[in-house]
Amino acid sequence: MGCNNTTNLLSVEEAIANMLKTVTPVSKIDRLPLTKALGYVVAKDIMSPLNVPSFANSAMDGYALRSVDLSPKTQTLTMIGKAFAGQPFSDIVEAGQCVRIMTGAPLPAGADCVIMQEETHANDDQITFENDSVKINNNIRPIGDDLHQGDLVIAQGTRLSAREMPLLASLGVATVDVFIKPIVAFFSTGDELQTLGNPLAEGQIYDSNRYGISALLTKMGCDVLDLGIIPDDQDSLRETFLKAADSAHMVITSGGVSVGEADYTKQILEEIGHIDFWKIAMKPGKPFAFGRLNNALFCGLPGNPVSAMVTFYQLVQPLLAKLSGHSAYTSPIRVPATTHSALKKQPGRVDFQRGIAHQDTQGQWHVTTTGNQGSGAFRSMHLANCFIILECERGRVEQDETVTIELFNTAFY
């Protein structure tokens, strides 16, 4: 996906690599109750405090017995009791006996196997077994079958999701050491922007980018600080930048990173911070800025709605993952697909077009365009479930050619 050109634009890969080199993950640790830990990143390895299961138990509904008691000559045993999950059978199973047992119930003393109820016939307390050839530990979950005490359960750097929460609860883990969430301050710039709920004046549009950025930051597990819309005024922008830098680990702006006369962001950043790079060889999203404001990272997103979302997804997302200590983060999945749409493309920049992907019955991927690929046409992002990634040097793509698609991850869902 690299882009060798003469325009002095960084490739997406170079930009990400350069940014990640500058990031130091948050290091402050907090101890939270499990009920409050969803979305946080685990700060220390979590080891199992117990064996799971902690007792041998039945893997199904049936009868617990001694395997040596069944033979071609002896297929009927006497049921002497019942065992339920949470209500174990407390006596010992002896020769010629069996116990009715339910899934999850502790294995009674003396028994060494379980036969499922579908392989039996009951006549009062006389249980006849169809299968006289059984093995020790048949249909039994032994102690530590899932986890042994001291096993690694969740590694440092894992972001807690709905998959981890019941696992930790099953181990009796009531509190978790986590990294604090990074604080991200963001705002939009531009006199043309209007707040929702107010009527549009001539030449104005509603500010949509802050809502997308806020949603993405929340999905990424950040504490968000929305500073609103800042007009194209140098003093207001300078004051807002300083406020944001003092209160956040990262500052994100939307708009003000192009070359218009009223775009003061670059000038102010050169006064109170520094810019590492300003332009990326990608479409949409060429005017993306990265640098620092005092101790805060800075990302300047383009003002066009699609460009802002694409640059956040492709460039800011891995940056935030490292900042939050989420070392288990993986990039979105990319797979080859057959396109059923012709795709317009000019060589020179990698193009992230919006597409709708599906798999056929043989597991092969297919993709169609969402239509209008303009950087202001946000409906195309709403319709999409993937990016169609067209390489820097590639030109127009015809129907039935193979392309690379990147399936949206949970940031967009």
Side-chain angles (χ1 to χ4, degrees):
M1 294 294 176
C3 213
N4 296 320
N5 54 52
T6 60
T7 58
N8 297 318
L9 303 181
L10 281 179
S11 71
V12 172
E13 293 78 13
E14 289 171 332
I16 293 174
N18 288 347
M19 289 190 295
L20 291 178
K21 290 177 184 177
T22 71
V23 177
T24 301
V26 294
S27 58
K28 186 176 180 180
I29 296 175
D30 197 2
R31 176 164 291 181
L32 296 178
L34 184 60
T35 54
K36 303 292 185 181
L38 181 66
Y40 282 82
V41 175
V42 174
K44 300 176 182 178
D45 289 345
I46 300 176
M47 318 303 288
S48 179
L50 45 82
N51 293 312
V52 179
S54 58
F55 53 86
N57 65 87
S58 178
M60 59 185 57
D61 295 343
Y63 293 88
L65 58 130
R66 302 178 345 146
S67 57
V68 297
D69 285 350
L70 290 186
S71 68
K73 294 182 179 180
T74 304
Q75 293 183 317
T76 301
L77 303 176
T78 300
M79 184 180 70
I80 59 171
K82 298 180 180 180
F84 298 90
Q87 300 179 36
F89 179 78
S90 57
D91 291 334
I92 298 175
V93 178
E94 297 182 346
Q97 298 177 337
C98 64
V99 170
R100 181 79 168 100
I101 193 167
M102 306 302 169
T103 303
L107 185 70
D112 61 15
C113 68
V114 172
I115 295 181
M116 66 177 67
Q117 62 185 16
E118 289 82 359
E119 296 180 354
T120 66
H121 299 284
N123 183 12
D124 293 331
D125 63 352
Q126 297 301 296
I127 311 301
T128 300
F129 297 87
E130 298 175 354
N131 186 358
D132 58 23
S133 178
V134 296
K135 297 180 180 180
I136 294 175
N137 293 325
N138 194 45
N139 298 323
I140 292 173
R141 301 179 185 127
I143 294 173
D145 184 47
D146 188 19
L147 285 168
H148 287 96
Q149 186 175 5
D151 282 351
L152 175 65
V153 179
I154 298 177
Q156 175 185 331
T158 301
R159 187 169 174 227
L160 294 175
S161 70
R163 292 179 300 164
E164 286 78 32
M165 302 301 277
L167 171 61
L168 293 175
S170 72
L171 298 173
V173 176
T175 60
V176 185
D177 288 327
V178 297
F179 293 117
I180 64 168
K181 291 183 176 182
I183 302 170
V184 181
F186 62 98
F187 58 92
S188 296
T189 65
D191 292 336
E192 77 279 10
L193 299 178
Q194 180 60 276
T195 304
L196 299 186
N198 295 323
L200 292 175
E202 184 177 358
Q204 285 190 321
I205 59 173
Y206 286 117
D207 177 22
S208 61
N209 288 351
R210 280 178 30 250
Y211 295 88
I213 293 169
S214 178
L216 288 167
L217 289 172
T218 300
K219 293 284 281 186
M220 286 292 293
C222 301
D223 279 337
V224 298
L225 181 58
D226 186 350
L227 299 180
I229 300 172
I230 308 303
D232 289 321
D233 174 79
Q234 282 184 293
D235 292 336
S236 296
L237 281 171
R238 184 180 292 103
E239 180 182 350
T240 305
F241 272 123
L242 291 172
K243 175 182 177 182
D246 286 342
S247 55
H249 297 97
M250 179 186 286
V251 179
I252 296 177
T253 63
S254 169
V257 292
S258 62
V259 293
E261 291 183 4
D263 293 332
Y264 300 117
T265 300
K266 184 175 183 180
Q267 178 181 337
I268 295 171
L269 287 171
E270 289 174 345
E271 293 176 10
I272 62 177
H274 68 87
I275 294 296
D276 290 350
F277 55 82
W278 196 261
K279 296 179 181 180
I280 309 293
M282 64 184 294
K283 181 182 179 182
K286 175 183 173 183
F288 173 88
F290 174 75
R292 278 194 175 270
L293 293 166
N294 296 330
N295 293 321
L297 298 168
F298 169 74
C299 290
L301 311 185
N304 284 320
V306 176
S307 300
M309 293 294 277
V310 172
T311 52
F312 187 108
Y313 190 88
Q314 296 295 333
L315 303 172
V316 182
Q317 189 174 199
L319 189 65
L320 283 172
K322 184 173 181 180
L323 180 64
S324 65
H326 185 193
S327 56
Y329 169 82
T330 56
S331 299
I333 297 173
R334 294 183 177 183
V335 294
T338 300
T339 176
H340 295 280
S341 308
L343 305 171
K344 295 180 181 180
K345 168 75 165 61
Q346 292 293 327
R349 288 185 284 166
V350 61
D351 200 344
F352 295 89
Q353 299 196 15
R354 281 76 72 198
I356 303 171
H358 72 278
Q359 277 183 296
D360 61 24
T361 55
Q362 284 74 45
Q364 301 301 308
W365 285 98
H366 303 263
V367 67
T368 57
T369 180
T370 57
N372 188 346
Q373 296 295 310
S375 58
F378 201 80
R379 185 169 182 268
S380 66
M381 185 69 79
H382 160 70
L383 295 172
N385 63 4
C386 71
F387 287 119
I388 305 171
I389 304 178
L390 304 180
E391 300 84 351
C392 177
E393 65 278 3
R394 196 164 187 172
R396 177 182 170 87
V397 177
E398 300 298 339
Q399 183 176 332
D400 296 327
E401 288 190 33
T402 299
V403 295
T404 297
I405 62 172
E406 181 179 80
L407 303 170
F408 291 166
N409 65 11
T410 54
F412 276 164
Y413 292 104

